[in-house]
Amino acid sequence: MKTLHLTLFLLCISYLVTGQNVQCTSESEASVCLEVNPEIISFSFNAINNNNKRVGFEFKNTKDSFNAFCKYSQLAFSTKSLDGYMLQFENDHLIISYSNNHISFILYQNNDLDMVFESTPITLNDLNNLLSQQNDVIRI
């Protein structure tokens, strides 16, 4: 019986240690979400230019890739660049566009110019909430 309890306890602990860490900008269906796992980061949103189809992409969870995503998302607010910032991942391009105290994410999925999806605009507060939980996750 002790062995069973110990096994269940260890399973619960291992789930908590390796479990997913999902953070979204809001509870609504149009929210932008970031899911951090030890090896992969998933970014998803409902595309406002495509009948609110849920789209997203994944990239390797490395210090450089995650920091670039955070840096340029936050930099868009401080520089208010009209051109935005483009990040290139393994199979996707992400443009971070600033307008009227909001940023939007424009995803070119699978490097295909015909597969373009735009997120709902989010505020700096939304972005900080999206990234706040992720700072505690250990990255390789």
Side-chain angles (χ1 to χ4, degrees), residues 81-108:
S81 171
L82 298 177
D83 295 330
Y85 296 98
M86 180 170 34
L87 302 176
Q88 182 176 356
F89 296 97
E90 290 97 12
N91 297 316
D92 305 290
H93 286 79
L94 184 70
I95 296 175
I96 303 165
S97 175
Y98 176 85
S99 178
N100 298 325
N101 293 323
H102 292 83
I103 61 170
S104 294
F105 298 98
I106 302 168
L107 173 63
Y108 288 89

Side-chain angles (χ1 to χ4, degrees), residues 46-58:
N46 285 37
I48 60 173
N49 64 328
N50 197 321
N51 295 326
N52 284 327
K53 174 184 174 184
R54 190 87 185 158
V55 296
F57 70 102
E58 296 179 337

